Structures are given as structure tokens and as C-alpha cells.
Amino acid sequence: TALPPPIYNVNAIGYPTAAFITWNTLSNGTSQVAYGTNSTYGLVSTFDATLRTNHTVMLSGLVPDRLYYFQITSVVSGTTYTATGTFTTTATVILQEPDGAYIGDWTLSSAVGDKFGSYFQYANTTTDPFSPDATATFNASLPLAGKYDVSMWYPSGANHTTNAQVFVEGSTAIVSTSVNQTVGGKWVSLASGMNFPDSAGSVVLMNNSGELNKTVIANAVKFVYNVGQDKPTDGSVPAWWSQFYFGTNVVAGSGDIDGDGYSNFSEYVLGTIPNDPSSALHFAVQSSSNAVTIVFGPYQGGRVYRLQYRATVTSAWTTLPGAPTTDANGNGVFTVSPTLTGFFRLQAAVGP
């Protein structure tokens, strides 16, 4: 039986603002990933010198709805091996007229210019506000469970209903709203931050507006992952991060699964591995005659890092100005000039 190549089982799991890159090596090796929105990459994860055969690198602070290129590198017994691939950070799902399921009397049209896509459907309204006889349902398969902003697009028209009845449906909740469809040609909000715990959602449009001689328009709907949930301010962790490391059990941010003294939330912010007690932040201070250099890792995109200083053990901490740069190994680097003598610490938080 032939052995696999030196790097194998390469897998990239893209989320709206982050990704996990995983791979195996035949023998123990190092871990690093170069990545970016083109094939020249431009960004690099912090070099991990820990020798292992199962490799995992989390990339954070990514731009939603982008194609990313990546190159993984492992140094095994002095030999450098690489492999490349791509992933997408899908955050938006748009459903257009052909994606709808229509019940009742609907007519296909392309007559106006401010529609979304090529076609829309329209149905006459009914004066009975309780009994629709025409419905259009758009069922979305979402990138992952979580909170989404939901909106609808329709063309403008003086004969359109001012009271289109719309249900936004998740597995545990329904939002009911009405929409004035006389002025369109843009995305109109239906629900903000609505939770879809089963990665599926629906928008149901009905013609029971209670109006006579008006039309209801089915054109397009959009679900956009609310990226604010990847920047929790309450000490929780995103469900996708928890499920990657712990399966279906969504852990509390305050827990410390591996007992290393860092909470799950801290591990998420720092980019360390929450079920590996050997995975920790490294922080080194190097001083010279005219400057102090602080090197730390892992350095994560989408984080705000602040360097704090105090002259003595009992002094108050003060935040030094400036943001870190990165070095060739993907470490974060603060340079303090002129030289300060005392104590330094690092603050890290999810970005604004």
C-alpha cells in the first residue's frame, strides 16, 4: 500500500469571519498558513513550532463573502512541505424569483428596471385580511446556525400593495411584518438579528393585504449573517467555534475545559486551542539601549491589542500608544522607544 504524501487530509472550513485550516503530516512537523484574497496571500498565521502530525490553524478577522487563497507549510525533519487551496467566507444568501415556491395565481414579469435579477412574480391582492389565496415561499439553506439580518427586494410601482404580509420563519420563532411595496429598488429590512438555530430560514409572502386592485411582488430575499455575534461582548463564544472543538456541545465562555487557567472566551480571543492545555499565548520582552521590543503570539486578525506598562509592582497600569505590527513569523510586535524599565502586559479583545 502506498503511503500518503508528506502533507495530506488538507481541509478548509470557512465561516463568515473566520476559517479553520486542518491537515496531517506523515511525521511530526511545524504549522503555518499564508492566506489572502489573491494567490500572493499577503497575510500569515503565527508560526507554530510545536511538532505534531495533526495540524489546526484558526484564521480570524476575515472579510465576509470573499474567496480566500491559502498555502500551508510544515517543516518535517528539516524539509519544508507545502500545500495550497481555497475557501470562501460565505455570509450572504440571496434567493431570487426562480427559487420561490408559488401557490395560487402568480404572473411572471420583467417589465420594470429596478427589479433584482431578470424576473419577478406578481399576484393580485385579496380584500380578506385573514385568508391569502396566493403565497410565495423562499426557503434558505444558511451557511451556519446563528443570527441573521433578513431583507426583501421588489421593484417600485404605484399599483403595488402598501400592506404586503410577510412571515420570516425560523425553527423556533416567526416574525410577522407588513411591507409597503410602492417604493422599491432596494433591500428593505424584514428582521434584524433573528436567530436561525437550525441553519434554515424561510420568508413567506402573502397577498392578503386587505386592498382592492393592488398587486403583491415576489422578487428576491436576502439573509446576511450578523457578524456582531462573532464579536461577543458578554463573554460568550460563537457557536461555530465551540462546535469545531467540542462537537454539538456549545460550551460556556466562562468554562475552562482544558484546565489551563484560560476561560473558553479567552482562548477564542487569543486564538489558542481550548482543549489543549499546552496551547498558550507566548509573550517575550527584548530590551536594548534605545528600545523595548515585545513579541507575542498567536497574533489573530480581528483583534484589538493594547500594550500596558507600569514602572513598579504597585504602580497603576497605563496603556501605551500604538498598535502592533507583525513579523515574518506572524507574531505580533510592539516596539517601545525610548526604553522603559518596568513591567508589561498585553490586553486583547475582539475588534469593534
Side-chain angles (χ1 to χ4, degrees):
T1 302
L3 291 174
I7 291 178
Y8 63 103
N9 284 346
V10 176
N11 190 30
I13 307 172
Y15 300 103
T17 65
F20 284 106
I21 313 299
T22 64
W23 70 96
N24 294 107
T25 49
L26 279 177
S27 302
N28 286 327
T30 62
S31 310
Q32 193 169 39
V33 176
Y35 63 101
T37 54
N38 56 57
S39 57
T40 61
Y41 311 118
L43 299 169
V44 64
S45 69
T46 300
F47 176 75
D48 184 355
T50 304
L51 299 178
R52 54 170 60 90
T53 58
N54 298 314
H55 306 261
T56 299
V57 171
M58 184 179 83
L59 309 176
S60 61
L62 305 182
V63 179
D65 294 316
R66 295 289 179 89
L67 172 67
Y68 277 85
Y69 298 78
F70 69 89
Q71 179 185 70
I72 61 178
T73 299
S74 286
V75 180
V76 179
S77 300
T79 302
T80 300
Y81 299 99
T82 63
T84 60
T86 62
F87 63 87
T88 55
T89 52
T90 303
T92 302
V93 174
I94 295 178
L95 303 177
Q96 300 185 52
E97 177 274 325
D99 302 309
Y102 302 91
I103 297 175
D105 189 7
W106 291 86
T107 301
L108 182 68
S109 177
S110 61
V112 294
D114 60 350
K115 61 187 176 297
F116 191 95
S118 300
Y119 298 97
F120 62 91
Q121 299 262 8
Y122 67 88
N124 293 324
T125 58
T126 175
T127 57
D128 185 345
F130 303 105
S131 301
D133 57 21
T135 62
T137 301
F138 294 86
N139 293 312
S141 177
L142 303 176
L144 69 161
K147 297 178 181 178
Y148 287 79
D149 302 327
V150 186
S151 55
M152 172 181 285
W153 186 295
Y154 43 83
S156 302
N159 65 327
H160 296 174
T161 178
T162 62
N163 190 36
Q165 299 300 297
V166 183
F167 284 168
V168 183
E169 300 183 356
S171 59
T172 59
I174 297 176
V175 171
S176 175
T177 188
S178 65
V179 178
N180 181 351
Q181 292 192 321
T182 60
V183 179
K186 60 183 179 181
W187 291 110
V188 175
S189 177
L190 301 176
S192 298
M194 183 172 175
N195 192 35
F196 295 91
D198 292 336
S199 303
S202 298
V203 171
V204 183
L205 174 67
M206 296 163 287
N207 72 332
N208 56 322
S209 70
E211 297 171 304
L212 183 64
N213 297 326
K214 297 290 184 178
T215 58
V216 61
I217 310 298
N219 188 184
V221 299
K222 179 170 68 171
F223 295 77
V224 180
Y225 183 83
N226 190 315
V227 297
Q229 63 198 300
D230 288 353
K231 306 172 184 179
T233 58
D234 59 357
S236 62
V237 295
W240 56 262
W241 181 89
S242 175
Q243 290 167 358
F244 177 84
Y245 287 111
F246 305 108
T248 57
N249 297 320
V250 178
V251 299
S254 58
D256 179 10
I257 300 296
D258 55 8
D260 62 358
Y262 289 90
S263 69
N264 296 324
F265 176 71
S266 296
E267 305 247 28
Y268 168 67
V269 173
L270 294 175
T272 52
I273 301 173
N275 50 14
D276 179 1
S278 68
S279 176
L281 177 77
H282 70 258
F283 185 85
V285 180
Q286 305 165 359
S287 61
S288 64
S289 59
N290 58 2
V292 176
T293 302
I294 290 90
V295 179
F296 68 92
Y299 175 90
Q300 287 290 331
R303 303 294 185 259
V304 175
Y305 294 103
R306 296 183 178 91
L307 184 65
Q308 295 192 317
Y309 165 79
R310 66 183 182 187
T312 68
V313 173
T314 58
S315 301
W317 289 103
T318 60
T319 299
L320 300 176
T325 59
T326 54
D327 63 16
N329 287 321
N331 295 299
V333 180
F334 281 101
T335 302
V336 180
S337 181
T339 297
L340 295 176
T341 301
F343 301 87
F344 297 91
R345 75 176 182 183
L346 181 70
Q347 276 193 339
V350 289

